[in-house]
Amino acid sequence: MVTADDPPTRLQGKYTAIAVCWFLGNGCLFAWNSMLTIVDYYSILFPRYHPSRVLTLVYQPFAVGTIATLAYNEERINTRFRNLFGYILFFLATLLVLVIDLATSGRGGIGTFIGICAVSGAFGIADAHVQGGMVGDLSFMHPELLQSFLAGGAASGALTSALRLVTKAAFENSKDGLRKGALLFFGITTFFELLCVILYAFVFPKVPIVKYYRSKAASEGAKTVSADLAAAGIQTSSDNEDVKKQERKGKKQLLMENIDYAIDLFLIYSLTLSIFPGFLSEDTGKHSLGAWYALVLIAMYNVCDLIGRYIPLVKCIKMESRKLLTTTIVCRILLIPAFYFTAKYGDQGWMMLLTSFLGLSNGYLTVCVLTSAPKGYKGPEQNALGNILVSFLLAGIFAGVTLDWLWLIGKGW
């Protein structure tokens, strides 16, 4: 019987789990960020199709539709199968990007673009499986594990941006250099996704702190962790399962009790994705950095997003007041006119400053909301709430990439 008064077991392997969560968070968004970061290559390959906007718009319906289905049925879904399916799909989809490019010899055209769009949709399905599954799973564990997973997601953006700058510089003066850089880039991404499959399948379930929290959740009636516990060599008991299931709050009640957190996440990501990456890639004008300008802006956003996700580790500056969180998030709407007038009248220094603030606030507020919301609930409820909140997060991204098209009004498309 697992008890909450067992600190040695509860904390054993904590730093190993934090490191693994960071890699798994990275793998959750590494493939998608890779596709966003090589947008300079796709913009040349498909100049008529606005790839930075279209690929994001294709990705989102699959992500939102899948997470809505999974969140509704979360208590009946095997979390281990769900997360492994997501990471394996990420691996296969990134490998397919390489196959498509090599099979077409780097030629553009509508057929190739449809193939890339199909891969984008696969990324959306994989993201919904992994992000919802992992956030739900980590919501009933130590808060630092969830923070590390979220930081890993932001780190994927920073790493892909850094890799893209390096590959662009390395191949810039060679023949077909942009394509070579993009192929190397996705080769690294494919290897990383395979690493995540191995980490989740064979390492993460056996870390003592993870086994402790999953056993504790199982003792509270959670059925989603049974396969992961079995993989770690722990058999769960079904005693009093029906009684404990009846004591669990329903999804509707959890949503009503946390509707402010859900709306907060929706607003955070609808605003961020209405600016990033489409506006930063296409609508910031001509500057002295030339072709490097969009890449530098995206890199600055990703680095600041990563920094923002570590700030809440400092307890004295972590925002936990629900009213203050909502007020701050609503005030971010002012960034829309700020970006508009900076693009029209400001120089690149001001645009970089605004982009940095966009990333910093996005990362900081995301971690504050997702680590504060699950407090006070039992394991099965925390898992359900994590899935609900990720549903609103992905819905916010979908709204943001749709609103991003409004920047094109008056520009002939």
Side-chain angles (χ1 to χ4, degrees):
M1 181 74 170
V2 181
T3 67
D5 301 318
D6 192 7
T9 306
R10 188 175 71 232
L11 297 176
Q12 190 178 356
K14 175 184 171 183
Y15 294 106
T16 300
I18 287 174
V20 173
C21 284
W22 189 88
F23 278 102
L24 292 176
N26 210 313
C28 179
L29 291 173
F30 201 85
W32 175 239
N33 279 321
S34 296
M35 184 167 276
L36 290 182
T37 308
I38 64 168
V39 71
D40 56 333
Y41 172 57
Y42 284 143
S43 294
I44 293 173
L45 207 58
F46 313 111
R48 298 173 54 197
Y49 304 133
H50 296 276
S52 66
R53 288 183 163 96
V54 173
L55 291 175
T56 310
L57 195 59
V58 169
Y59 172 98
Q60 288 310 317
F62 288 97
V64 174
T66 304
I67 190 61
T69 304
L70 293 172
Y72 183 77
N73 298 287
E74 58 79 27
E75 65 189 272
R76 297 188 293 273
I77 294 174
N78 181 323
T79 300
R80 180 173 176 80
F81 172 80
R82 172 181 175 172
N83 289 334
L84 279 175
F85 175 83
Y87 282 118
I88 291 170
L89 183 56
F90 271 131
F91 166 69
L92 294 175
T94 52
L95 185 62
L96 186 58
V97 172
L98 292 173
V99 171
I100 289 173
D101 196 277
L102 291 171
T104 60
S105 301
R107 291 189 298 271
I110 187 65
T112 306
F113 187 64
I114 290 172
I116 296 298
C117 286
V119 171
S120 180
F123 285 162
I125 294 171
D127 182 25
H129 277 80
V130 170
Q131 192 164 183
M134 287 300 298
V135 169
D137 210 20
L138 296 174
S139 290
F140 56 74
M141 299 187 194
H142 197 287
E144 287 186 33
L145 301 188
L146 178 55
Q147 182 276 330
S148 182
F149 177 81
L150 296 172
S156 69
L159 285 173
T160 52
S161 292
L163 280 170
R164 186 66 188 125
L165 291 171
V166 169
T167 55
K168 183 176 173 65
F171 293 104
E172 188 172 30
N173 296 320
S174 66
K175 182 182 179 182
D176 210 15
L178 200 59
R179 178 174 177 246
K180 291 177 182 175
L183 288 173
L184 174 61
F185 194 72
F186 255 94
I188 295 170
T189 303
T190 304
F191 170 78
F192 192 88
E193 294 298 345
L194 179 60
L195 175 64
C196 288
V197 173
I198 295 169
L199 283 174
Y200 187 84
F202 303 109
V203 179
F204 190 61
K206 298 179 181 178
V207 180
I209 189 174
V210 175
K211 291 194 289 185
Y212 167 81
Y213 280 111
R214 281 177 170 164
S215 297
K216 184 172 182 288
S219 73
E220 295 173 339
K223 298 168 67 176
T224 58
V225 296
S226 57
D228 279 306
L229 287 174
I234 299 173
Q235 296 300 317
T236 56
S237 172
S238 58
D239 294 343
N240 300 321
E241 187 177 38
D242 293 334
V243 175
K244 292 187 176 182
K245 185 177 178 182
Q246 290 173 5
E247 295 173 353
R248 171 188 155 159
K249 293 181 178 179
K251 299 181 187 69
K252 184 176 180 180
Q253 184 178 355
L254 288 170
L255 176 58
M256 290 301 102
E257 290 178 0
N258 296 275
I259 191 65
D260 54 332
Y261 285 133
I263 293 173
D264 286 347
L265 285 170
F266 179 86
L267 291 175
I268 290 170
Y269 282 86
S270 59
L271 182 129
T272 297
L273 271 292
S274 68
I275 297 170
F276 172 88
F279 175 81
L280 296 183
S281 299
E282 296 187 16
D283 303 299
T284 51
K286 303 294 183 183
H287 297 279
S288 60
L289 288 172
W292 288 82
Y293 187 52
L295 290 180
V296 170
L297 287 179
I298 290 171
M300 292 189 70
Y301 167 86
N302 285 323
V303 169
C304 290
D305 186 31
L306 173 61
I307 293 170
R309 294 182 190 224
Y310 279 102
I311 293 175
L313 286 176
V314 183
K315 301 297 182 185
C316 61
I317 54 176
K318 181 182 179 182
M319 195 182 296
E320 294 186 287
S321 165
R322 297 173 79 148
K323 289 183 178 179
L324 187 57
L325 273 170
T326 301
T327 302
T328 304
I329 289 163
V330 169
C331 287
R332 287 178 85 234
I333 294 173
L334 295 173
L335 285 171
I336 292 176
F339 271 96
Y340 174 78
F341 287 111
T342 301
K344 198 168 185 179
Y345 303 111
D347 59 23
Q348 60 192 32
W350 285 106
M351 184 62 73
M352 289 177 182
L353 180 64
L354 274 178
T355 303
S356 299
F357 181 76
L358 180 72
L360 195 72
S361 60
N362 185 82
Y364 172 76
L365 292 169
T366 297
V367 171
C368 287
V369 171
L370 284 174
T371 56
S372 297
K375 292 180 180 177
Y377 292 104
K378 292 186 293 186
E381 295 167 343
Q382 291 170 321
N383 183 37
L385 180 57
N387 276 272
I388 291 168
L389 293 178
V390 171
S391 299
F392 276 81
L393 185 155
L394 291 177
I397 294 176
F398 189 19
V401 300
T402 304
L403 292 170
D404 184 47
W405 286 84
L406 296 177
W407 295 105
L408 292 177
I409 292 175
K411 295 189 178 180
W413 205 86

